[in-house]
Amino acid sequence: MPNRNDIAERLRALRGDKSRAEVSEACGISISALTMYEIGERVPRDEVKTRLAKLYGKTVEEIFFAE
């Protein structure tokens, strides 16, 4: 399983040119929560993992579990 920094890097790359505000609003989470995920401070709970994966057109496995 990848570490939090690997996941954070993937989340930042997937967000691309979108603002944190856009992504957090689309996923129903706070900007501060998204920021913590993107800097490796926290890993989202399963429900949020699913929303992020759907938004980015990826599977939960690709984002959070792929090596």
Side-chain angles (χ1 to χ4, degrees):
M1 184 170 163
N3 67 33
R4 279 194 258 182
N5 290 329
D6 294 336
I7 293 168
E9 197 174 303
R10 273 189 210 136
L11 290 173
R12 287 192 306 270
L14 286 166
R15 183 165 55 83
D17 294 335
K18 291 184 173 105
S19 70
R20 282 188 173 140
E22 284 178 80
V23 172
S24 63
E25 189 173 320
C27 291
I29 58 175
S30 68
I31 293 171
S32 62
L34 180 61
T35 301
M36 284 198 252
Y37 306 149
E38 289 188 353
I39 63 174
E41 290 280 315
R42 289 175 45 195
V43 175
R45 63 187 189 277
D46 290 347
E47 179 183 318
V48 176
K49 285 178 184 171
T50 303
R51 288 188 218 152
L52 286 165
K54 186 174 181 179
L55 177 69
Y56 293 138
K58 300 282 182 187
T59 65
V60 169
E61 290 76 19
E62 286 175 300
I63 299 172
F64 298 98
F65 298 103
E67 289 295 329

